[in-house]
């Protein structure tokens, strides 16, 4: 079963496909506190459910079942802004956009922005930052070039 949006839990998670009013940034103190608490919860879940010498080094089963939510949460919590979409679905703000991948257990991360914003020339730098964040949390994040040479990340939880 695929998550259709990032709003499946108590903390609304921004995938970058929300309308601008729904996809606020983490500039408020309350939002920042919620994100810090969510990161603490992820670490706790990993400690309690993963085995091995460093249980926090890799995603827990709970995260694997909510991969879109987890990836989106981690990016925003690390200060990477989500994009936002207009009524037509086109980006109206520069930032990450996450979506389900073609394969089960895969999330795609793109760096998008409004037409004419020159986003194509910024995407490699920003995607590398996203890649670093996700790898630091134990995810596999591979940079891929798609149609027209546009870059994006394919993210997976890796071996259990």
């Amino acid at each position: 079963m695929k998550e259709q949006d990032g709003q499946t839990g108590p903390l609304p998670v921004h995938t970058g496909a929300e309308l601008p009013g729904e996809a606020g940034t983490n500039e408020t103190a309350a939002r920042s506190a919620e994100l810090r608490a969510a990161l603490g919860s992820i670490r706790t879940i990993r400690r309690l459910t993963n085995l091995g010498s460093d249980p926090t080094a890799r995603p827990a089963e709970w995260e694997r079942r909510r991969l879109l939510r987890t990836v989106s949460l981690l990016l925003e919590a690390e200060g990477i802004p989500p994009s936002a979409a207009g009524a037509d679905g086109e980006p109206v703000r520069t930032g990450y956009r996450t979506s389900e991948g073609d394969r089960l257990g895969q999330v795609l991360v793109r760096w998008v922005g409004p037409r004419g914003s020159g986003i194509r020339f910024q995407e490699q730098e920003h995607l590398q930052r996203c890649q670093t964040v996700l790898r630091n949390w134990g995810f596999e994040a591979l940079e891929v070039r798609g149609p027209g040479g546009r870059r994006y990340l394919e993210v997976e939880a890796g071996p259990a």
Side-chain angles (χ1 to χ4, degrees), residues 123-133 143 153:
E123 69 186 4
Q124 183 178 19
E125 173 187 346
H126 291 286
L127 285 173
Q128 284 175 345
R129 182 172 175 218
C130 294
Q131 188 177 43
T132 298
V133 165
E143 184 179 304
L153 300 179

Side-chain angles (χ1 to χ4, degrees), residues 7-27:
Q7 312 305 320
T8 59
L11 173 64
V13 176
H14 303 304
T15 64
E18 298 83 13
L19 295 172
E22 299 169 3
T25 61
N26 60 352
E27 295 173 5

